[in-house]
């Protein structure tokens, strides 16, 4: 009996090389351990994966925005940081995308629904590409859906001939009435909302540039539905009042 036959069995797996000899898996033919990835490469791969994951979440799931103006007062205040759901109406697939030297490196100006969960409804607060400058994102509330007739008479909003009950979430700070031939703020329409489009208005009715001034929002330009305030910063008054703690986690309605 040879010396090798007395060796205890092992769990090492082997694979034959070209010459018929065997080498242990996990080692080179000379028995040396394989080179590990450099620290730089490991960190670089981790960063790339994290960036791709963050981009996918931003495009398909949820995106954060900051409110820069007062057009949605009293619902949203200047300095509110909000979350916008990309899944409220379906799984969106970006289209009309362009590369850019910025973060994110890809900017998409439209989207198509791969799987539709539902349509935007009257009362939804949506973020969308501004029709007159698609590099900008606007936020407004849907007032008219496809097929609706929208009209303003002395500040009162009428949808399909019936007054819209909007006192709970709007404000009108200017008691004056502007003639519709001069400015459409207080007297407008009637207009019929076309298919695959929406008529939107700011809750701060007297200080909002919206569909009264620049027209309808096409459905493919809607980026998502606002649903939550996650941070709110006023930066005014006493330093203890700079953060609006009471708005943290507040649902957007």
């Amino acid at each position: 009996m040879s010396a090798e036959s007395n060796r205890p069995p092992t769990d090492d797996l082997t694979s034959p090389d070209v010459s018929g000899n065997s080498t242990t898996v996990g080692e080179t033919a000379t028995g040396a351990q394989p080179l590990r990835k450099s620290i730089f490469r490991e960190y670089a791969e981790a960063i790339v994966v994290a960036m791709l994951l963050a981009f996918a979440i931003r495009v398909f799931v949820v995106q954060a925005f900051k409110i820069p103006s007062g057009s949605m007062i009293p619902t949203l205040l200047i300095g509110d940081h909000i979350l916008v759901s990309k899944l409220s109406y379906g799984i969106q697939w970006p289209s009309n995308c362009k590369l850019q030297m910025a973060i994110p490196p890809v900017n998409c100006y439209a989207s198509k629904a791969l799987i539709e969960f539902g349509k935007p409804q009257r009362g939804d607060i949506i973020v969308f590409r501004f029709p007159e400058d698609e590099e900008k994102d606007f936020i407004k509330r849907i007032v008219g859906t496809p097929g609706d007739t929208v009209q303003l008479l002395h500040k009162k909003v009428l949808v399909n001939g019936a007054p819209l009950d909007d006192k709970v979430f709007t404000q009108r700070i200017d008691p004056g009435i502007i003639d519709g031939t001069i400015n459409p703020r207080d007297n407008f329409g009637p207009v019929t909302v076309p298919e695959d489009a929406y008529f939107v208005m700011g809750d701060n009715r007297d200080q909002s540039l919206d569909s009264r001034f620049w027209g309808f929002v096409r459905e493919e330009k809607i980026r998502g539905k606002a649903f939550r305030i996650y941070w709110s910063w006023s930066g005014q008054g006493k330093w203890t009042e700079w953060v609006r703690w009471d708005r943290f986690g507040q649902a957007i309605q």
Side-chain angles (χ1 to χ4, degrees):
M1 181 180 294
S2 65
E4 288 189 359
S5 63
N6 293 326
R7 293 178 183 174
T10 68
D11 294 327
D12 291 342
L13 301 179
T14 59
S15 59
D17 60 20
V18 215
S19 62
N21 299 319
S22 296
T23 57
T24 302
V25 174
E27 296 183 356
T28 62
T30 59
Q33 293 292 330
L35 295 176
R36 292 185 60 188
K37 295 180 183 177
S38 67
I39 297 297
F40 174 80
R41 181 177 173 184
E42 288 182 354
Y43 275 106
E45 289 179 353
I47 291 171
V48 169
V49 170
M51 289 179 65
L52 291 175
L53 183 60
F55 180 72
I57 292 173
R58 185 175 186 271
V59 171
F60 297 106
V61 183
V62 68
Q63 185 173 353
F65 290 89
K66 177 186 175 182
I67 303 299
S69 74
S71 70
M72 286 298 293
I73 294 173
T75 306
L76 296 173
L77 308 180
I78 298 173
D80 280 349
H81 291 65
I82 65 171
L83 295 176
V84 173
S85 171
K86 301 297 187 73
L87 295 173
S88 293
Y89 306 121
I91 298 177
Q92 301 181 26
W93 185 257
S95 61
N96 192 17
C97 298
K98 295 180 182 178
L99 294 174
Q100 59 182 15
M101 298 298 293
I103 296 177
V106 179
N107 198 2
C108 298
Y109 297 90
S111 62
K112 298 178 181 179
L114 290 180
I115 301 175
E116 196 172 272
F117 299 152
K119 291 287 187 181
Q121 301 296 313
R122 186 182 304 115
D124 289 358
I125 296 177
I126 58 170
V127 172
F128 54 91
R129 294 287 187 182
F130 179 38
E132 294 187 347
D133 182 359
E134 294 194 351
E135 296 296 330
K136 299 177 181 178
D137 294 311
F138 268 33
I139 183 167
K140 304 291 178 188
R141 188 184 296 271
I142 294 177
V143 170
T145 56
D148 285 343
T149 298
V150 180
Q151 183 178 12
L152 269 82
L153 289 176
H154 304 296
K155 295 184 182 289
K156 189 65 180 179
V157 181
L158 305 177
V159 179
N160 300 323
L164 179 67
D165 185 10
D166 59 4
K167 292 181 181 179
V168 176
F169 53 81
T170 62
Q171 71 173 23
R172 295 171 173 85
I173 60 176
D174 183 3
I177 303 292
I178 301 177
D179 191 312
T181 59
I182 300 173
N183 186 301
R185 188 191 74 174
D186 302 327
N187 289 280
F188 171 85
V191 296
T192 300
V193 184
E195 187 179 357
D196 296 326
Y198 296 85
F199 189 95
V200 298
M201 297 178 68
D203 288 353
N204 192 359
R205 292 285 196 252
D206 293 337
Q207 295 184 328
S208 173
L209 290 175
D210 47 43
S211 289
R212 292 171 288 182
F213 298 90
W214 40 254
F216 306 105
V217 175
R218 300 209 314 270
E219 187 171 354
E220 64 177 8
K221 300 298 181 179
I222 296 176
R223 306 197 70 181
K225 178 183 176 182
F227 71 96
R228 188 77 58 182
I229 299 170
Y230 70 91
W231 169 261
S232 188
W233 172 268
S234 70
Q236 297 179 352
K238 298 179 181 180
W239 68 270
T240 54
E241 300 172 352
W242 287 359
V243 178
R244 304 186 187 105
W245 299 103
D246 60 315
R247 297 184 67 79
F248 279 33
Q250 190 175 106
I252 299 173
Q253 299 177 344

